[in-house]
Amino acid sequence: MKVKTLGQFIIEKQADFPYAKGELSRLLRDIGIAAKIVNREVNKAGLVEILGETGETNVQGEKVKKLDVFANEQFIAAFKAGGEVCAIASEENDDIIPIDSEISKSAKYVVAIDPLDGSSNIDVNVSVGTIFSIYRRKSLSGPGTMEDFLQRGTEQVAAGYVIYGSSCMLVYTTGRGVNGFTLDPSIGEFCLSHPDMKTPADGTIYSINEGNYLHFPDGVKKYIKFCQEEDKATQRPYSSRYIGSGVADIHRNLISGGIYIYPTTTKSPKGKLRLLYECNPLAFIVEQAGGKATDGFRRILDLDVKELHQRTPLFIGSANMVDKAMEFMKTYSSEAAAVKN
Ligand code: AHG
Ligand code: MN
Ligand code: MN
């Protein structure tokens, strides 16, 4: 079998960007290396002193797990050593991390990252992930600034996720389709396993934390009931699948067809997921695979980014399913209820 590694693939694709000098390629390669290190720790998580909580609370008010901290440190170290980015935004850090070093002086990019997605699954051997989003800087020189991150999702240069699952996969897009790579542990390389990924326009899976049902907007409640109704023509009832790691749920739906919803709830009136380093990168990938991503009313990639840790509701997946859910939102949840940031 002829194997194409992530490194080989990136070099081949560099020719698609004749003006680029290879920085983006190097940045993607650095992400691949950091992902392998995180995967190694995830794989032996039960054996070493890395499970459990650090006792600290992060900027979101959530308990920080040791693996979150480890993953955050690994990716930050990789970006600092690589010299391709002038600032980093991370779920685990209140403020941006500007990079002021000799090698980053002429860095053109900034990166936003959710180093460990699905934290509640770390200790119980269920898939977790990493999400990243890359922008061209807006500021002119020196360390990056907030301005570099307050760009709409449509401005993303590249985005991707890593899923630490039954196998480890890296999936990314630079706006020319989506490609997936599976880590072959015997050679320690990500190998192209899912070229030009396309998501089915229809699906039969819906993914939502139904425990919050009572607190959902009416549009979402009615859509869930629609998913559960019997209808041979549309293969309903759909199956309910919810892992609680957004990356894993969305990855499965991307391949099999389905919808993932994290709506507003009474507890999280703006939704739970973060626009900059969760929703925008996932939306970019899913759109590039032929799917859709909205906040129930508006396209995610068109939303204004005003804060680093801004939240938004998310409806993402197979195009026809997202359209249907939006129809329900329009009918039963007034558009005035759309989250204003
Ligand atoms: P994180 O672990 O980075 O905080 O993100 C978890 C997110 C998302 O990945 C997942 O789908 C969702 O939160 C789960 O939330 P609930 O437990 O509220 O369903
Ligand atoms: Mn997350
Ligand atoms: Mn996280």
Side-chain angles (χ1 to χ4, degrees), residues 253-283:
N253 291 357
L254 185 75
I255 291 175
S256 308
I259 186 170
Y260 170 100
I261 304 177
Y262 209 110
T264 58
T265 62
T266 332
K267 202 173 111 202
S268 307
K270 293 189 167 186
K272 177 184 179 193
L273 302 181
R274 281 55 58 107
L275 180 57
L276 187 62
Y277 43 80
E278 292 181 315
C279 300
N280 269 338
L282 292 168

Short mmCIF file of all heavy atoms in Angstrom, two decimals, residues 253-283:
data_model
loop_
_atom_site.label_atom_id
_atom_site.label_comp_id
_atom_site.label_asym_id
_atom_site.label_seq_id
_atom_site.Cartn_x
_atom_site.Cartn_y
_atom_site.Cartn_z
N ASN A 253 -20.52 12.61 12.98
CA ASN A 253 -21.60 13.11 12.12
C ASN A 253 -21.09 13.53 10.75
O ASN A 253 -21.79 13.38 9.74
CB ASN A 253 -22.32 14.28 12.80
CG ASN A 253 -23.12 13.83 14.02
OD1 ASN A 253 -23.18 12.64 14.33
ND2 ASN A 253 -23.73 14.78 14.70
N LEU A 254 -19.86 14.06 10.71
CA LEU A 254 -19.26 14.47 9.43
C LEU A 254 -19.15 13.25 8.52
O LEU A 254 -19.44 13.32 7.33
CB LEU A 254 -17.87 15.06 9.70
CG LEU A 254 -17.12 15.66 8.52
CD1 LEU A 254 -17.70 17.02 8.15
CD2 LEU A 254 -15.63 15.84 8.84
N ILE A 255 -18.76 12.14 9.08
CA ILE A 255 -18.57 10.94 8.27
C ILE A 255 -19.90 10.25 7.97
O ILE A 255 -20.19 9.89 6.83
CB ILE A 255 -17.60 9.97 8.98
CG1 ILE A 255 -16.19 10.59 8.96
CG2 ILE A 255 -17.60 8.59 8.33
CD1 ILE A 255 -15.15 9.83 9.72
N SER A 256 -20.75 10.12 8.99
CA SER A 256 -21.98 9.31 8.82
C SER A 256 -23.20 10.14 8.42
O SER A 256 -24.19 9.58 7.97
CB SER A 256 -22.32 8.59 10.12
OG SER A 256 -21.20 7.89 10.59
N GLY A 257 -23.15 11.45 8.62
CA GLY A 257 -24.34 12.29 8.39
C GLY A 257 -25.09 12.46 9.69
O GLY A 257 -25.42 11.48 10.37
N GLY A 258 -25.34 13.70 10.06
CA GLY A 258 -26.05 13.95 11.32
C GLY A 258 -25.98 15.42 11.68
O GLY A 258 -25.39 16.23 10.96
N ILE A 259 -26.63 15.75 12.80
CA ILE A 259 -26.61 17.14 13.27
C ILE A 259 -26.18 17.15 14.74
O ILE A 259 -26.56 16.27 15.52
CB ILE A 259 -28.00 17.82 13.09
CG1 ILE A 259 -27.93 19.31 13.45
CG2 ILE A 259 -29.09 17.10 13.91
CD1 ILE A 259 -29.18 20.10 13.08
N TYR A 260 -25.36 18.13 15.09
CA TYR A 260 -24.96 18.37 16.47
C TYR A 260 -25.51 19.73 16.85
O TYR A 260 -25.35 20.70 16.10
CB TYR A 260 -23.43 18.35 16.58
CG TYR A 260 -22.89 18.83 17.91
CD1 TYR A 260 -22.47 17.92 18.88
CD2 TYR A 260 -22.77 20.19 18.20
CE1 TYR A 260 -21.96 18.35 20.11
CE2 TYR A 260 -22.26 20.63 19.42
CZ TYR A 260 -21.86 19.71 20.36
OH TYR A 260 -21.36 20.14 21.57
N ILE A 261 -26.18 19.79 17.99
CA ILE A 261 -26.74 21.08 18.44
C ILE A 261 -26.28 21.36 19.86
O ILE A 261 -26.42 20.51 20.74
CB ILE A 261 -28.29 21.07 18.40
CG1 ILE A 261 -28.80 20.71 17.00
CG2 ILE A 261 -28.84 22.43 18.83
CD1 ILE A 261 -30.33 20.61 16.90
N TYR A 262 -25.70 22.52 20.10
CA TYR A 262 -25.56 23.02 21.48
C TYR A 262 -26.27 24.37 21.52
O TYR A 262 -25.71 25.39 21.14
CB TYR A 262 -24.11 23.13 21.96
CG TYR A 262 -24.08 22.93 23.47
CD1 TYR A 262 -23.54 21.79 24.05
CD2 TYR A 262 -24.72 23.86 24.31
CE1 TYR A 262 -23.61 21.59 25.42
CE2 TYR A 262 -24.78 23.66 25.67
CZ TYR A 262 -24.24 22.53 26.22
OH TYR A 262 -24.34 22.32 27.59
N PRO A 263 -27.55 24.35 21.94
CA PRO A 263 -28.35 25.58 21.87
C PRO A 263 -28.14 26.45 23.11
O PRO A 263 -27.34 26.11 23.98
CB PRO A 263 -29.77 25.03 21.85
CG PRO A 263 -29.71 23.76 22.61
CD PRO A 263 -28.29 23.22 22.49
N THR A 264 -28.86 27.54 23.18
CA THR A 264 -28.90 28.30 24.42
C THR A 264 -29.66 27.47 25.44
O THR A 264 -30.50 26.63 25.08
CB THR A 264 -29.66 29.63 24.23
OG1 THR A 264 -30.98 29.31 23.77
CG2 THR A 264 -28.96 30.53 23.20
N THR A 265 -29.36 27.66 26.70
CA THR A 265 -30.16 27.04 27.77
C THR A 265 -30.36 28.14 28.80
O THR A 265 -29.73 29.20 28.71
CB THR A 265 -29.42 25.87 28.44
OG1 THR A 265 -28.22 26.38 29.05
CG2 THR A 265 -29.05 24.78 27.47
N THR A 266 -31.20 27.87 29.77
CA THR A 266 -31.40 28.91 30.79
C THR A 266 -30.08 29.16 31.51
O THR A 266 -29.74 30.29 31.83
CB THR A 266 -32.47 28.45 31.81
OG1 THR A 266 -33.36 27.57 31.12
CG2 THR A 266 -33.25 29.61 32.36
N LYS A 267 -29.30 28.06 31.72
CA LYS A 267 -28.02 28.20 32.41
C LYS A 267 -26.98 28.92 31.55
O LYS A 267 -26.16 29.69 32.05
CB LYS A 267 -27.51 26.79 32.78
CG LYS A 267 -26.51 26.80 33.92
CD LYS A 267 -26.16 25.38 34.36
CE LYS A 267 -24.73 25.06 34.00
NZ LYS A 267 -24.42 23.65 33.89
N SER A 268 -27.01 28.63 30.26
CA SER A 268 -26.05 29.26 29.33
C SER A 268 -26.83 30.04 28.28
O SER A 268 -27.04 29.57 27.17
CB SER A 268 -25.20 28.20 28.63
OG SER A 268 -24.60 27.34 29.56
N PRO A 269 -27.28 31.26 28.63
CA PRO A 269 -28.17 32.01 27.73
C PRO A 269 -27.53 32.38 26.39
O PRO A 269 -28.23 32.70 25.44
CB PRO A 269 -28.55 33.25 28.53
CG PRO A 269 -27.63 33.30 29.70
CD PRO A 269 -27.02 31.95 29.90
N LYS A 270 -26.19 32.32 26.31
CA LYS A 270 -25.54 32.58 25.02
C LYS A 270 -25.02 31.29 24.40
O LYS A 270 -24.20 31.33 23.47
CB LYS A 270 -24.39 33.57 25.22
CG LYS A 270 -24.89 34.95 25.62
CD LYS A 270 -23.78 35.96 25.61
CE LYS A 270 -24.39 37.36 25.70
NZ LYS A 270 -23.39 38.40 25.54
N GLY A 271 -25.41 30.15 24.94
CA GLY A 271 -24.85 28.88 24.49
C GLY A 271 -23.62 28.59 25.32
O GLY A 271 -23.18 29.42 26.13
N LYS A 272 -23.04 27.40 25.11
CA LYS A 272 -21.86 27.04 25.91
C LYS A 272 -20.56 27.16 25.12
O LYS A 272 -19.53 27.53 25.65
CB LYS A 272 -22.02 25.59 26.39
CG LYS A 272 -20.82 25.11 27.15
CD LYS A 272 -20.89 23.65 27.55
CE LYS A 272 -19.62 23.27 28.30
NZ LYS A 272 -19.47 21.83 28.46
N LEU A 273 -20.64 26.83 23.84
CA LEU A 273 -19.41 26.70 23.06
C LEU A 273 -18.84 28.06 22.67
O LEU A 273 -19.58 29.04 22.53
CB LEU A 273 -19.66 25.84 21.83
CG LEU A 273 -20.19 24.44 22.14
CD1 LEU A 273 -20.39 23.66 20.86
CD2 LEU A 273 -19.25 23.69 23.06
N ARG A 274 -17.54 28.10 22.51
CA ARG A 274 -16.83 29.33 22.24
C ARG A 274 -16.66 29.51 20.73
O ARG A 274 -16.28 28.59 20.00
CB ARG A 274 -15.47 29.35 22.94
CG ARG A 274 -15.50 29.68 24.41
CD ARG A 274 -16.38 28.83 25.30
NE ARG A 274 -16.12 27.40 25.31
CZ ARG A 274 -15.56 26.73 26.30
NH1 ARG A 274 -15.20 27.36 27.40
NH2 ARG A 274 -15.39 25.42 26.23
N LEU A 275 -16.92 30.74 20.29
CA LEU A 275 -16.91 31.04 18.85
C LEU A 275 -15.51 30.91 18.25
O LEU A 275 -15.32 30.29 17.20
CB LEU A 275 -17.47 32.45 18.64
CG LEU A 275 -17.55 32.97 17.20
CD1 LEU A 275 -18.38 32.05 16.32
CD2 LEU A 275 -18.15 34.39 17.18
N LEU A 276 -14.54 31.50 18.91
CA LEU A 276 -13.21 31.67 18.31
C LEU A 276 -12.47 30.35 18.10
O LEU A 276 -11.89 30.12 17.04
CB LEU A 276 -12.38 32.61 19.19
CG LEU A 276 -11.02 33.02 18.65
CD1 LEU A 276 -11.16 33.79 17.35
CD2 LEU A 276 -10.27 33.87 19.67
N TYR A 277 -12.47 29.50 19.11
CA TYR A 277 -11.62 28.30 19.01
C TYR A 277 -12.40 26.99 19.03
O TYR A 277 -11.79 25.93 19.10
CB TYR A 277 -10.52 28.32 20.09
CG TYR A 277 -11.01 28.76 21.45
CD1 TYR A 277 -11.67 27.88 22.28
CD2 TYR A 277 -10.83 30.07 21.89
CE1 TYR A 277 -12.14 28.28 23.51
CE2 TYR A 277 -11.29 30.48 23.13
CZ TYR A 277 -11.94 29.58 23.93
OH TYR A 277 -12.43 29.97 25.15
N GLU A 278 -13.74 27.06 19.03
CA GLU A 278 -14.53 25.84 18.89
C GLU A 278 -15.42 25.95 17.64
O GLU A 278 -15.30 25.17 16.70
CB GLU A 278 -15.37 25.57 20.14
CG GLU A 278 -14.52 25.20 21.36
CD GLU A 278 -15.30 24.91 22.62
OE1 GLU A 278 -16.24 25.68 22.95
OE2 GLU A 278 -14.96 23.95 23.33
N CYS A 279 -16.35 26.91 17.66
CA CYS A 279 -17.37 26.96 16.60
C CYS A 279 -16.81 27.37 15.24
O CYS A 279 -17.12 26.73 14.23
CB CYS A 279 -18.50 27.87 17.02
SG CYS A 279 -19.29 27.29 18.53
N ASN A 280 -15.98 28.41 15.19
CA ASN A 280 -15.48 28.86 13.89
C ASN A 280 -14.65 27.78 13.18
O ASN A 280 -14.90 27.49 12.01
CB ASN A 280 -14.69 30.17 14.01
CG ASN A 280 -15.59 31.39 13.81
OD1 ASN A 280 -16.67 31.28 13.20
ND2 ASN A 280 -15.18 32.53 14.32
N PRO A 281 -13.66 27.19 13.86
CA PRO A 281 -12.90 26.15 13.15
C PRO A 281 -13.76 24.96 12.73
O PRO A 281 -13.65 24.46 11.60
CB PRO A 281 -11.81 25.73 14.15
CG PRO A 281 -12.12 26.43 15.44
CD PRO A 281 -13.04 27.54 15.17
N LEU A 282 -14.67 24.53 13.62
CA LEU A 282 -15.52 23.38 13.26
C LEU A 282 -16.45 23.76 12.10
O LEU A 282 -16.68 22.96 11.19
CB LEU A 282 -16.32 22.91 14.49
CG LEU A 282 -15.45 22.29 15.61
CD1 LEU A 282 -16.26 22.11 16.89
CD2 LEU A 282 -14.85 20.94 15.16
N ALA A 283 -16.94 25.00 12.12
CA ALA A 283 -17.83 25.47 11.04
C ALA A 283 -17.09 25.49 9.71
O ALA A 283 -17.62 25.09 8.67
CB ALA A 283 -18.38 26.85 11.38
#
